[in-house]
Amino acid sequence: IKLRDYQKDVLKSYVDGRTIVCNSRQMGVTTLNKIFALWSILFNPMYVQIVTEPMNMHYEMIDSLITSYIKIPYYLQKGIIRINNHEIVCDDYSRITSHRAQLKTKDISLNNFVTIVDNAAWLHKPDLMDIERTLRHNGKVIITSTPNGFNNFYNIWSNSLDKNTYKFNPIKLMW
C-alpha cells in the first residue's frame, strides 16, 4: 500500500496512543486502523481491540485483517493459534478482537492494550468508562470517525482541542 503523507502522519500519532481523528469520508482511516492493528501484533506482544458500529462492520474488519495477514511475507508472520470471525490469536498470545459497539476491558494487561474505536460518532452509546479504564492502565486509545451531530465523539473531540483530561492528540482530516 502506498500511503499519502497525511496517512503517514496519522500512523505516527497512533504510536503515542491517545489520538482522536475527525475525518471526511473515504480518507482511508479504517484501513489505517487495520494497518496499525496488524503492525501492533506483529512487532509487539499486544492485545488490540477494535470496536465499530455499522451492522456487520466488525466481521468485515476481521475478515479484511485475516486476508491482509495471509498476504504478509511468511518470515514476518507469527504462528496462529486461533482465527474466527471475532479474533486473531497468535502463538505469543498477541491478539486482535473485533466487537460491535461494546468495549471489553476485562482482559487489559498493563502497557500492552490498544483500543481502536472506529466510526465512533455512529456508536449508539460508547462506554467512556472503559476508555478511561484503558487510559488509566497505560493502554492506548485511538478514536476515529466522521462527524455525526452532537454526541460523545463530539464531546471528546471538542474537549481534545482544549487539551482535556484525556489529553488526546486531535487530528482533523478534510478533503
Side-chain angles (χ1 to χ4, degrees), residues 83-139:
I83 290 182
N84 59 39
N85 59 358
H86 293 288
E87 68 182 346
I88 300 170
V89 181
C90 299
D91 58 2
D92 67 350
Y93 296 101
S94 295
R95 70 178 58 207
I96 299 173
T97 62
S98 184
H99 308 284
R100 180 174 177 243
Q102 61 191 26
L103 301 175
K104 297 184 178 188
T105 56
K106 64 180 174 51
D107 298 324
I108 288 179
S109 61
L110 296 177
N111 299 322
N112 292 326
F113 192 83
V114 179
T115 297
I116 299 172
V117 184
D118 192 49
N119 295 316
W122 302 92
L123 296 178
H124 294 296
K125 189 177 179 184
D127 192 344
L128 298 180
M129 293 301 291
D130 281 334
I131 291 173
E132 289 174 4
R133 188 176 305 127
T134 301
L135 292 173
R136 261 195 317 247
H137 285 89
N138 297 321

Side-chain angles (χ1 to χ4, degrees), residues 64-81:
S64 174
L65 284 164
I66 291 167
T67 302
S68 298
Y69 184 84
I70 291 168
K71 292 180 180 179
I72 291 173
Y74 179 74
Y75 58 88
L76 289 177
Q77 292 182 6
K78 290 183 176 182
I80 297 292
I81 293 175

Side-chain angles (χ1 to χ4, degrees), residues 6-48:
Y6 75 88
Q7 291 171 321
K8 291 175 187 175
D9 293 339
V10 170
L11 283 174
K12 287 176 188 172
S13 76
Y14 281 8
V15 174
D16 295 333
R18 289 180 183 226
T19 302
I20 184 166
V21 180
C22 183
N23 57 283
S24 302
R25 290 185 38 77
Q26 304 302 318
M27 299 289 289
V29 175
T30 296
T31 301
L32 294 178
N33 293 342
K34 291 185 252 184
I35 290 169
F36 186 75
L38 277 176
W39 176 81
S40 295
I41 67 161
L42 288 174
F43 299 104
N44 306 291
M46 287 266 182
Y47 178 2
V48 180

